[in-house]
Amino acid sequence: MWLLERLVPDAAANNLSLAFQVDGKLDAAALQSSLDVLFRRHEVLRTVYFSSGAELMKAVVPEADFAVRIEEFDEFTPAAEDIERALRPFVTRRFAFDGRSLVRAGLFHHPDGQVVCLAFHHLVYDIISGTTLFQELMAAYERIVNGQDVPAELLTPVPTFHEPEPTAESLAFWRDRLGDFDPETLDLACGAPDGADPTLKGDQVSYQLSAEARAAVARLQREARAPEAVILLAAYYVLLAAHGAGPDITVGSPVSVRPKEAPGTVGHHTNVLPLRVAVDPAEGFRGLVRRARDTYFDALTHADVPVDSISDLVPRAGSSWRNRLCRHLFNYFPQLGLTTGLEVNGLRASPLVVENGYSKFDLEFFLASSDTGIQIIARYGTDKLEEADVEALLLRYDALLVSCGADSNLPIGRIAVWSEQDRAVIEAANDTAMRFEPADVPAAVHAHVLATPDAVAMEHGDRTVSYRELWDAALDNRDALAEAGVVAGDIVAIAAARSPELTAAVLGVWLARAAYLPVDPEHPAQRVAYLLTDSDAKVIFTDRELPLPADRVMARLEPARVGAASAGRTREDLPPVIDPASAAYLIYTSGSSGRPKGALLPHRAVANVAADYTVRMRATADDATLWMTTFAFDMANLEHYVPLYSGGRIVIAPDEARVDGRVLLDLLKRHQPGIIQATPTTWRLVLDHVADQLDGRRVVIGAEPLPVPLAERLLATGCELHHAYGPTETTTWCTWGILDRELGDRPHIGKPIWNVQVMVVAPDGRELPVGVRGELWIAGDGVALGYHKRPELNASRFGEHPRYGRYYRSGDVGRWRADGNLEVSGRSDRQVKLRGNRIELGEVEAAVLGHPQVRAAAAIVVGDRSADGRLVVFVESAAGPDIVDGLWQHARTELPNSAIPQDFIVVDALPTNANEKVDYLALEAVAASGKGSESAAAEEQEPADELVRTVIELYRELLGRDDVSAQSNFFTHGGHSLLGAQLLQKLEEITKVTVKLADLFSAPTPAALAAHIRTG
């Protein structure tokens, strides 16, 4: 409790209230006298506290010296339904730990009847105390207002109850029960990550369980022979597990630790027991109920150990304040607050429940059961969850109770914790079935040849080629392949510059019923040789002298020249009927082991994306599409096949257009393409030069996370911004959305395209509902046939879904939004654990990209992640190394302390790999070598101030570096929270002044920290 007071000094999370309204007017003087009776009687209400550094000392004020005067409020006129919220400012006014009272009283004059509100600090009060105090206050008031003596029992002093020391048996119980517990398993896969500066602000949602859920609970009580509270508690565990917690979960359960002979003792005598239960997906719900019941009663018999003492028995993982035993609370009782039907000296009184607007937990379920129903008040921390998240949780809680009631032996892992709203949103998004004609790209091209043979198919510099010329060259290539012995199903490599000849080679391969292998001839010879060997390519089309593997027999062919005369061609002959399940191309992508892996994509996938994108972008025969992407990157499929399918024209851009905005500007002006596609990396490099040319054009962006600032800049140009997503294994883009200016924190990636379905899946294979993060699994016509000669990878990355058929596990983490669009938040394999803290590197990058002077960011971890590992972020910025301190200040406002980078390295441009994505391996090598932008070494003279010199020496000792000056930032010189704690401990030993970790973040340099110590 004291820790939270220090951590969030502006919060009032520990303020509680006792409030009621009467139908009439009370005697203020009699009310004051009645309160004075309570203060004289209950010593605990006269207990005050003094803070001294990190310590909190208490004292009891003598009766004669203690006074709390009622504050009267004449102008109190909120609507009846707003009274409780209107009392919140009075309740949440901070209490001072300087010897002043931790109780205050207010009398509010409202037109509908006066309101009495008492505010308490949790150190001297809990909810159970409210019943006792209300009864005694009314008993005293009725006597005093009627001129009678106060009852003798109210004049009897009640000393503060001191809970007995915990028994050795109870200490051993909790040590055994929780000694190996990892609190980080409690985080939910919905809502926000922990922020840099917790506010503890909270809100609540009320919900009445449906009649179906209540009937299910009653049925489960009979079947499991368990009380209602345990049934509801077990369902709460299932709810949390279904949203990412656990499977090893603790739920906090408040219990009173008052003596049996005095159950109404006033004061803070509530303990929160951490009930640890492992949720086994193979177990039936009835079995979980039994274990939850046993866990609860075992804990209850050892409730004499305060929760803070229990926490001390458990090893602390990580450095976040959130790493504690309970992040979720469950509290079951017959009614909330005071009962109804109350009277105060003949005046009808109504209890008021004044929430303080804070929550010390991520989620709290308060369940009040009565004959008329079960009401849930779900309180939540607004730092973590939004109202929509909690409303969805309540609906799913209701639905899972109904499911469990229908079959209490159904394995928990098979319970779909979905609401009807979840099903409606996700099923609508996945309702993508669509038939289209032509059935494949060759058939579409042939139709254009017959209908408009002289229409321009491609523009390459000053050169133009028609559909007729392109088709003739394709037929020549088909014939050449046949002469070389190529048959259906063979692999044909194509290693050539982007040109009409390359396109004709692709069509020729397909007409030969073979599959092509795109090879970038500019790649290193070793990679080219590996692709040619591993793919078993029989023939290679190439426009240059390319070294071929010495151990393979491979025919080398030059692609047919497009535009050369082709005598005697019969273009009316229909192309061969292509099996949609046959391979269209084999493309290699980087493997996690460093060995590229080849994915085989079928014709149905190519045809599906060509047809879908054509309709989605309204591509017509009058459109020009810029082909800017390298042929070996499957992102080029859109630029290549959409124009061929729609009858438009392809404008081939030189490679320089991807990095030189002046080159791209010239292309846009000369060729006027209406469809332009590029990665975020390319757009960052070229946008300044072409921004005024994008108005009205269809701009497609994908393949990397899209920073919000870049999306905003693109939208400001007036373009129609299409944001697409898709792994290589699912054929270019499998989801697609058009962005508007309401981008939020992360641009969505749209919905599944035609004949594609997406699932968000938990680690145990459960499909997840709206708002819950999991791995994206992609099914449908776009899924690859598999990896070439990699059966072990095929087994781990592909599978069969009972409804959607073959699917691919993407490794990307995402979630459904309520509007049916999807979001991607990073890679599951980019989540790291650094010094016990889980960190999502994508989240770090997104936070850094929020700085207005950062164009691009890439986060990596270097070194031992359990000890001295460093979180390093490379940034592209024109500001140069001078931006580092500003980046650190920005990061600490956006990220939890554990995720604040220790190093920022400013570079001109992030390195990219063959697929034009950030090359993280290259960055790791740079960071490990110690190269990059360095902080300025300490060249100034040693400061004259002795305290500053002392702090500098401690910095140097702990950081292991000599380049520390009075202005060196502890955290950008390699410091982190654990080293910071060591620093502050040493400083306290030397200066006898306690400094909080939050102070070090606010004053991170030796000069600033020394100044803080002096003034603190």
Side-chain angles (χ1 to χ4, degrees):
M1 197 183 300
W2 176 230
L3 170 65
L4 293 184
E5 292 283 347
R6 298 182 67 203
L7 180 72
V8 192
D10 296 329
N14 290 313
N15 288 25
L16 302 175
S17 66
L18 169 63
F20 57 92
Q21 183 176 24
V22 297
D23 288 348
K25 186 176 180 180
L26 297 172
D27 185 311
L31 184 63
Q32 180 68 66
S33 297
S34 303
L35 284 172
D36 292 341
V37 169
L38 300 189
F39 296 141
R40 288 193 297 269
R41 172 171 166 77
H42 295 285
E43 182 184 78
V44 68
L45 299 180
R46 290 182 279 110
T47 301
V48 295
Y49 288 80
F50 300 85
S51 63
S52 176
E55 300 297 321
L56 192 64
M57 298 173 290
K58 69 178 179 178
V60 176
V61 179
E63 295 176 22
D65 300 331
F66 188 83
V68 172
R69 296 301 167 207
I70 295 175
E71 302 174 42
E72 293 198 48
F73 298 86
D74 295 327
E75 299 297 327
F76 187 70
T77 58
E81 64 271 16
D82 296 328
I83 288 177
E84 293 173 343
R85 184 171 289 272
L87 292 171
R88 184 177 293 178
F90 177 78
V91 172
T92 57
R93 195 193 311 161
R94 293 273 301 167
F95 288 106
F97 296 99
D98 58 2
R100 281 181 281 178
S101 168
L102 297 184
V103 184
R104 60 174 158 266
L107 180 60
F108 298 79
H109 299 277
H110 190 271
D112 296 337
Q114 289 181 325
V115 174
V116 176
C117 184
L118 306 180
F120 306 84
H121 194 280
H122 202 7
L123 285 167
V124 299
Y125 176 88
D126 60 17
I127 297 299
I128 294 176
S129 304
T131 302
T132 299
L133 291 178
F134 178 79
Q135 292 171 347
E136 293 185 356
L137 179 65
M138 292 305 97
Y141 177 82
E142 290 183 4
R143 290 297 187 92
I144 292 172
V145 78
N146 291 305
Q148 300 173 359
D149 292 337
V150 174
E153 61 268 22
L154 297 186
L155 300 177
T156 303
V158 179
T160 300
F161 171 66
H162 297 286
E163 296 161 24
E165 289 295 315
T167 65
E169 178 189 356
S170 291
L171 289 170
F173 170 84
W174 290 112
R175 188 180 294 110
D176 177 67
R177 184 59 58 94
L178 296 170
D180 60 346
F181 180 67
D182 179 5
E184 290 203 19
T185 63
L186 298 176
D187 200 13
L188 297 180
C190 57
D194 286 338
D197 298 306
T199 67
L200 301 183
K201 289 182 179 178
D203 208 337
Q204 68 180 46
V205 176
S206 295
Y207 181 80
Q208 194 80 14
L209 274 187
S210 68
E212 294 82 1
R214 288 178 58 206
V217 170
R219 187 161 53 251
L220 288 165
Q221 285 181 255
R222 295 190 297 271
E223 292 181 7
R225 297 182 181 178
E228 182 179 74
V230 173
I231 301 295
L232 296 168
L233 172 62
Y236 191 54
Y237 280 106
V238 176
L239 181 73
L240 296 174
H243 287 79
D248 191 5
I249 302 174
T250 56
V251 167
S253 177
V255 297
S256 174
V257 290
R258 290 165 169 80
K260 292 180 179 179
E261 64 276 11
T265 300
V266 174
H268 172 44
H269 301 299
T270 300
N271 197 8
V272 178
L273 301 180
L275 307 179
R276 181 182 182 183
V277 173
V279 179
D280 181 358
E283 182 181 35
F285 183 73
R286 190 188 302 185
L288 177 64
V289 169
R290 286 194 294 267
R291 290 193 296 110
R293 178 191 58 204
D294 294 344
T295 297
Y296 175 74
F297 287 114
D298 284 348
L300 202 59
T301 59
H302 299 93
D304 55 319
V305 183
V307 65
D308 291 340
S309 298
I310 297 174
S311 299
D312 293 339
L313 299 176
V314 179
R316 178 171 288 272
S319 57
S320 169
W321 73 277
R322 282 284 186 185
N323 286 323
R324 58 189 192 181
L325 290 181
C326 301
R327 296 179 68 156
H328 313 106
L329 196 78
F330 181 90
N331 200 358
Y332 172 91
F333 45 95
Q335 289 183 324
L336 292 173
L338 301 172
T339 58
T340 57
L342 302 173
E343 283 194 357
V344 179
N345 195 39
L347 299 175
R348 188 168 64 88
S350 303
L352 299 173
V353 179
V354 183
E355 299 296 336
N356 62 18
Y358 294 91
S359 177
K360 292 180 280 187
F361 298 87
D362 291 355
L363 182 66
E364 308 174 55
F365 266 26
F366 291 81
L367 296 99
S369 180
S370 67
D371 293 340
T372 59
I374 299 175
Q375 184 188 21
I376 305 174
I377 294 179
R379 295 178 186 163
Y380 59 97
T382 55
D383 290 343
K384 292 292 293 182
L385 298 170
E386 296 181 356
E387 183 178 22
D389 295 319
V390 179
E391 289 174 342
L393 283 162
L394 288 165
L395 289 172
R396 292 169 197 151
Y397 185 70
D398 193 298
L400 81 87
L401 282 168
V402 174
S403 296
C404 293
D407 183 358
S408 61
N409 292 315
L410 183 69
I412 292 168
R414 290 174 54 192
I415 299 172
V417 187
W418 288 39
S419 67
E420 289 304 316
Q421 290 89 328
D422 293 321
R423 288 188 175 85
V425 169
I426 295 173
E427 288 179 3
N430 277 326
D431 184 11
T432 60
M434 183 66 67
R435 299 177 66 88
F436 52 85
E437 290 291 340
D440 52 63
V441 174
V445 175
H446 185 254
H448 304 320
V449 172
L450 296 181
T452 55
D454 295 321
V456 174
M458 303 185 76
E459 296 177 355
H460 190 194
D462 295 329
R463 180 185 176 199
T464 62
V465 300
S466 67
Y467 273 94
R468 173 180 52 79
E469 292 170 325
L470 189 64
W471 189 256
D472 286 349
L475 294 174
D476 290 342
N477 288 324
R478 176 201 62 185
D479 295 344
L481 291 173
E483 291 177 11
V486 171
V487 298
D490 283 345
I491 303 295
V492 176
I494 302 177
R498 286 175 297 115
S499 64
E501 283 68 33
L502 187 152
T503 302
V506 169
L507 291 172
V509 170
W510 284 346
L511 292 176
R513 297 184 179 178
Y516 70 83
L517 166 70
V519 177
D520 191 330
E522 301 299 327
H523 281 178
Q526 185 177 1
R527 178 183 173 89
V528 172
Y530 174 82
L531 267 57
L532 295 177
T533 301
D534 187 72
S535 66
D536 300 320
K538 292 183 65 174
V539 175
I540 181 169
F541 274 126
T542 184
D543 58 3
R544 65 198 67 196
E545 288 296 325
L546 196 68
L548 302 181
D551 58 347
R552 290 193 58 79
V553 177
M554 182 179 298
R556 183 199 303 265
L557 300 177
E558 185 174 349
R561 173 73 178 172
V562 177
S566 300
R569 283 290 181 203
T570 304
R571 303 184 187 94
E572 287 74 15
D573 290 347
L574 292 175
V577 176
I578 294 176
D579 179 0
S582 64
Y585 64 88
L586 171 64
I587 189 167
Y588 279 77
T589 183
S590 299
S592 58
S593 65
R595 182 161 63 102
K597 55 185 186 293
L600 273 169
L601 281 302
H603 274 282
R604 64 167 171 261
V606 176
N608 190 64
V609 298
D612 176 275
Y613 303 168
T614 293
V615 173
R616 198 172 292 275
M617 293 192 296
R618 308 179 305 283
T620 69
D622 297 325
D623 270 310
T625 300
L626 193 65
W627 182 8
M628 193 159 49
T629 307
T630 177
F631 179 55
F633 185 9
D634 73 322
M635 185 172 166
N637 287 348
L638 180 149
E639 301 154 322
H640 205 191
Y641 303 133
V642 167
L644 294 179
Y645 193 87
S646 62
R649 56 194 168 95
I650 299 171
V651 176
I652 300 176
D655 291 340
E656 292 77 15
R658 294 195 296 270
V659 295
D660 190 334
R662 294 166 299 183
V663 175
L664 180 58
L665 177 63
D666 179 65
L667 283 167
L668 298 183
K669 288 181 175 179
R670 284 199 295 126
H671 297 278
Q672 292 298 317
I675 299 171
I676 311 165
Q677 174 183 250
T679 64
T681 295
T682 291
W683 282 118
R684 284 194 299 265
L685 294 172
V686 303
L687 185 55
D688 287 342
H689 289 92
V690 303
D692 62 352
Q693 295 293 313
L694 298 181
D695 187 18
R697 300 187 198 265
R698 286 146 287 174
V699 168
V700 183
I701 190 167
E704 297 173 333
L706 172 57
V708 170
L710 178 59
E712 290 172 338
R713 290 182 63 202
L714 283 166
L715 287 167
T717 68
C719 72
E720 182 179 276
L721 185 58
H722 298 249
H723 189 206
Y725 159 84
T728 296
E729 292 82 354
T730 60
T731 318
T732 320
W733 310 131
C734 61
T735 73
W736 192 293
I738 299 177
L739 299 180
D740 56 28
R741 295 184 182 274
E742 299 298 323
L743 294 168
D745 296 331
R746 179 179 289 113
H748 67 77
I749 58 169
K751 300 176 182 178
I753 67 168
W754 288 354
N755 303 307
V756 168
Q757 295 79 37
V758 175
M759 299 159 280
V760 180
V761 182
D764 62 6
R766 286 177 298 106
E767 293 180 44
L768 296 171
V770 172
V772 186
R773 293 181 294 276
E775 185 183 7
L776 299 185
W777 290 11
I778 300 150
D781 286 357
V783 178
L785 301 172
Y787 294 118
H788 183 57
K789 299 193 301 187
R790 302 290 288 272
E792 75 291 345
L793 270 179
N794 288 333
S796 64
R797 305 307 298 176
F798 296 92
E800 287 290 328
H801 188 273
R803 181 176 178 185
Y804 298 137
R806 184 171 176 79
Y807 67 82
Y808 171 70
R809 298 183 55 177
S810 72
D812 292 319
V813 176
R815 66 169 187 146
W816 289 103
R817 298 194 339 178
D819 60 5
N821 287 308
L822 287 152
E823 284 183 3
V824 171
S825 55
R827 290 283 300 171
S828 58
D829 52 12
R830 293 204 71 220
Q831 186 184 80
V832 300
K833 199 164 187 179
L834 186 61
R835 287 179 290 278
N837 297 284
R838 287 197 180 110
I839 298 171
E840 172 55 60
L841 296 179
E843 296 285 353
V844 175
E845 292 170 350
V848 175
L849 280 168
H851 191 285
Q853 291 180 286
V854 173
R855 292 193 301 265
I860 60 170
V861 173
V862 180
D864 182 356
R865 295 179 181 181
S866 65
D868 59 353
R870 292 181 297 127
L871 179 57
V872 181
V873 176
F874 287 80
V875 296
E876 285 183 19
S877 175
D882 292 341
I883 197 179
V884 168
D885 282 341
L887 288 175
W888 183 82
Q889 292 290 350
H890 172 77
R892 70 174 294 263
T893 65
E894 299 288 330
L895 295 165
N897 294 343
S898 59
I900 296 175
Q902 281 82 62
D903 284 323
F904 290 95
I905 298 177
V906 182
V907 294
D908 294 331
L910 297 176
T912 56
N913 56 25
N915 287 339
E916 302 175 23
K917 298 181 181 180
V918 174
D919 191 338
Y920 287 98
L921 292 177
L923 293 177
E924 289 177 8
V926 172
S929 69
K931 298 177 181 178
S933 65
E934 301 288 344
S935 300
E939 297 179 356
E940 61 190 70
Q941 294 181 348
E942 286 290 308
D945 187 290
E946 182 178 352
L947 180 55
V948 175
R949 289 201 306 271
T950 298
V951 178
I952 289 174
E953 288 304 315
L954 288 174
Y955 273 40
R956 290 173 177 171
E957 174 189 341
L958 289 169
L959 299 176
R961 54 194 297 172
D962 297 325
D963 59 336
V964 175
S965 71
Q967 301 304 321
S968 295
N969 186 308
F970 180 81
F971 296 99
T972 60
H973 277 61
H976 48 73
S977 297
L978 294 183
L979 281 178
Q982 296 178 39
L983 170 70
L984 300 184
Q985 183 177 355
K986 291 176 180 289
L987 274 173
E988 185 169 356
E989 293 172 358
I990 295 171
T991 65
K992 309 304 180 187
V993 175
T994 300
V995 182
K996 298 181 291 184
L997 189 60
D999 298 329
L1000 178 59
F1001 278 97
S1002 300
T1005 68
L1009 189 56
H1012 174 82
I1013 291 171
R1014 286 197 179 90
T1015 58

